[in-house]
């Protein structure tokens, strides 16, 4: 490994960014560089090489019209970005990387020797396209050139300065495109299902190392002291987690929230310095897939609905199957007491199936009880 390559890799590993990398058809040496320098486990979340047509189609959920193309690289980067959002450590910068190439092979190629590399972050999509001079290099040499460009793209995504020594000729200089997204566009991508979530980091605890998230889901219309206190108490019971509120832009039985409404609700969290995530998953079993290993903070009324077969088409076994899948992802539920039909109930008042009991942890009434709801506040405020 050249000394300048090692310096770039070390800078990437020091950037507190995490990436999922999908690549096919080249740039394999970049993986060796990234993984052989200490610190790789903090940067590289996952690497997938979808070389076969079937593998690529399964990865993207569709068959690309052309495998070595700008669109394919950008689709790979977006899929990698969504995967990285699910796998990343709390509070870290996230990036998806897609690479697809058609380089020199054992048989002469009629088409150009070329590659595309794309990186996707929350607010930016960058793509580079390089066409190499045929016959100038061996396959290994073309792979090295493409590896330099992949490394440079990752460094740029991590906001790390990097000048590569790629020895490309004048006609081989990259063609680059950059697309920036504003907040409205980012939220629309979440609503449309293109991106699985947008995270707003408003707290001052981002410099700590957290193993998981502690998530209080809700509509927060409005956010009130009961919400804040409940998450505070839950966080004190799980001190290895980053506390976050979560709002689903998609509702199970209502139209999606508008961008203006989402931003209005987000503003409440900015004012009090609390993290909030905007997702597009209204159901808990989908939230468990989105936030594996997380602890969800819920009220006893929500816990009662979670284990009620009525909400699973009346099928008890289906309810058990879905929640056991959540359990397998490391999901737990911290349950606070709530007034249910005029009676204050806690977890111990509920009939939780034996197979699921260790998933549910009670928040004692002496630690948290606030008989307040957003619905009551809205009624008092009037139209």
């Amino acid at each position: 490994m050249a000394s300048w390559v090692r310096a770039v890799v070390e800078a990437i590993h020091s950037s507190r960014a995490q990436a999922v990398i999908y690549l096919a058809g080249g740039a394999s040496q970049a993986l060796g560089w990234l993984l052989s320098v200490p610190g790789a486990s903090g940067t590289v979340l996952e690497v997938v090489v979808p070389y076969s047509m079937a593998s690529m189609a399964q990865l993207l959920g569709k068959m690309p019209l052309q495998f070595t193309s700008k669109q394919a690289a950008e689709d790979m980067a977006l899929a990698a970005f969504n995967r990285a959002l699910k796998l990343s450590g709390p509070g870290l910068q996230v990036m998806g990387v897609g690479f697809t190439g058609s380089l020199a092979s054992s048989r002469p190629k009629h088409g150009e020797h070329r590659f595309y590399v794309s990186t996707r972050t929350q607010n930016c999509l960058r793509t580079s396209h390089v066409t190499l001079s045929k016959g100038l290099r061996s396959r290994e040499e073309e792979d090295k050139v493409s590896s330099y460009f992949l490394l440079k793209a990752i460094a740029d995504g991590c906001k790390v300065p990097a000048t590569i020594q790629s020895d490309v000729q004048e006609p081989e200089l990259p063609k680059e495109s950059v697309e920036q997204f504003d907040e409205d566009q980012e939220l629309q991508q979440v609503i449309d299902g293109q991106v699985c979530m947008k995270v707003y980091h408003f707290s001052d605890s981002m410099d700590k190392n957290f193993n998981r998230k502690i998530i209080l889901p809700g509509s927060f219309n409005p956010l009130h002291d009961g919400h804040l206190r409940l998450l505070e108490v839950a966080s004190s019971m799980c001190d290895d987690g980053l506390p976050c509120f979560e709002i689903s832009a998609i509702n199970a039985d209502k139209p999606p929230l508008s961008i203006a409404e989402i931003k209005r609700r987000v503003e409440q969290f900015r004012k009090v310095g609390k993290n909030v995530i905007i997702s597009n998953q209204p159901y808990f079993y989908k939230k468990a897939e989105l936030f594996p290993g997380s602890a969800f903070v819920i009220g006893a009324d929500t816990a009662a609905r979670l284990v009620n077969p009525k909400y699973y088409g009346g099928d008890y076994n289906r309810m058990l199957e879905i929640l056991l899948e959540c359990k397998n992802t490391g999901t737990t539920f911290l349950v606070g007491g709530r007034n249910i039909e005029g009676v204050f109930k806690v977890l111990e008042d509920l009939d939780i199936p034996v197979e699921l009991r260790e998933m549910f942890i009670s928040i004692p009434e002496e630690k948290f009880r606030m008989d307040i709801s957003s619905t009551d506040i809205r009624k008092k405020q009037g139209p």
Side-chain angles (χ1 to χ4, degrees):
M1 187 189 312
S3 59
W4 70 266
V5 171
R6 176 175 290 276
V8 172
V9 174
E10 288 174 345
I12 289 171
H13 290 341
S14 299
S15 69
R16 285 183 58 81
Q18 294 189 314
V20 167
I21 303 171
Y22 293 160
L23 80 165
S28 63
Q29 293 172 61
L31 297 183
W33 300 335
L34 286 167
L35 299 179
S36 62
V37 173
S41 62
T43 302
V44 181
L45 294 167
E46 182 177 82
V47 176
V48 177
V49 182
Y51 235 150
S52 73
M53 292 176 63
S55 177
M56 182 71 81
Q58 187 176 68
L59 182 78
L60 300 180
K62 62 181 180 181
M63 188 68 74
L65 295 176
Q66 189 175 7
F67 280 78
T68 305
S69 64
K70 182 174 185 284
Q71 187 62 57
E74 291 179 351
D75 287 345
M76 293 167 76
L78 179 60
F81 175 63
N82 278 306
R83 180 71 171 157
L85 284 170
K86 298 175 185 179
L87 299 180
S88 63
L92 298 178
Q93 181 185 343
V94 171
M95 174 171 45
V97 182
F99 175 96
T100 178
S102 179
L103 307 182
S105 67
S106 56
R107 298 186 302 274
K109 290 186 175 178
H110 297 296
E112 297 173 327
H113 293 191
R114 66 197 189 279
F115 61 84
Y116 298 82
V117 57
S118 182
T119 57
R120 174 64 199 257
T121 58
Q122 189 74 59
N123 64 356
C124 186
L125 173 66
R126 295 176 180 270
T127 306
S128 294
H129 167 215
V130 174
T131 300
L132 298 170
S133 299
K134 292 177 72 171
L136 186 63
R137 304 175 182 85
S138 67
R139 167 64 186 230
E140 184 178 359
E141 289 168 338
E142 288 190 354
D143 186 272
K144 179 174 284 189
V145 171
S146 63
S147 292
Y148 289 152
F149 278 94
L150 178 61
L151 191 66
K152 175 68 161 61
I154 294 172
D156 289 344
C158 296
K159 297 182 172 60
V160 169
T163 301
I164 63 171
Q165 301 171 21
S166 61
D167 78 350
V168 294
Q169 310 300 313
E170 184 69 31
E172 300 175 317
L173 292 177
K175 298 176 182 177
E176 300 181 340
S177 65
V178 179
E179 186 177 1
Q180 299 280 352
F181 308 112
D182 61 25
E183 184 182 6
D184 285 12
Q185 290 172 313
E186 292 173 34
L187 290 172
Q188 190 62 55
Q189 289 167 1
V190 175
I191 294 169
D192 293 342
Q194 185 180 3
V195 174
C196 62
M197 71 180 88
K198 175 171 171 57
V199 184
Y200 291 88
H201 295 298
F202 294 137
S203 79
D204 57 1
S205 59
M206 306 314 298
D207 55 341
K208 300 178 183 178
N209 291 320
F210 295 102
N211 295 320
R212 57 175 175 163
K213 297 181 180 76
I214 304 170
I215 300 173
L216 175 53
S219 58
F220 308 110
N221 186 28
L223 176 69
H224 56 67
D225 289 343
H227 296 136
L228 298 171
R229 178 59 182 158
L230 178 56
L231 187 55
E232 180 184 331
V233 170
S235 300
S236 71
M237 296 173 62
C238 302
D239 58 5
D240 65 338
L242 176 70
C244 300
F245 294 89
E246 183 254 350
I247 300 172
S248 175
I250 305 300
N251 293 291
D253 50 7
K254 297 177 184 177
L257 296 177
S258 68
I259 291 174
E261 180 60 22
I262 294 172
K263 291 169 75 172
R264 184 188 70 80
R265 297 189 194 183
V266 166
E267 179 63 15
Q268 302 174 107
F269 298 94
R270 186 193 66 77
K271 289 179 178 178
V272 295
K274 302 298 181 183
N275 303 317
V276 61
I277 301 169
I278 307 301
S279 81
N280 50 25
Q281 297 296 348
Y283 299 109
F284 270 101
Y285 74 97
K286 288 293 187 180
K287 293 182 193 291
E289 293 176 8
L290 204 56
F291 309 108
S294 294
F296 291 95
V297 186
I298 60 177
D301 52 343
T302 300
R305 289 194 296 271
L306 269 178
V307 297
N308 189 340
K310 168 186 172 182
Y311 299 98
Y312 303 84
D315 189 335
Y316 179 89
N317 290 329
R318 178 64 179 151
M319 176 271 293
L320 209 56
E321 178 186 354
I322 287 175
L323 291 180
L324 284 173
E325 287 178 4
C326 295
K327 181 180 178 181
N328 290 338
T329 69
T331 298
T332 55
F333 296 102
L334 296 169
V335 183
R338 284 294 297 270
N339 268 312
I340 303 177
E341 297 178 352
V343 179
F344 188 81
K345 291 190 176 182
V346 294
L347 176 63
E348 289 75 14
D349 297 317
L350 307 180
D351 185 15
I352 306 294
V354 174
E355 300 92 329
L356 305 174
R357 284 179 187 169
E358 65 182 35
M359 289 179 69
F360 293 82
I361 301 167
S362 180
I363 299 176
E365 182 178 354
E366 60 269 21
K367 285 193 173 184
F368 175 81
R369 177 171 181 174
M370 293 184 74
D371 298 335
I372 181 175
S373 74
S374 295
T375 302
D376 291 340
I377 292 175
R378 289 198 303 275
K379 285 178 179 178
K380 290 176 182 177
Q381 289 175 341

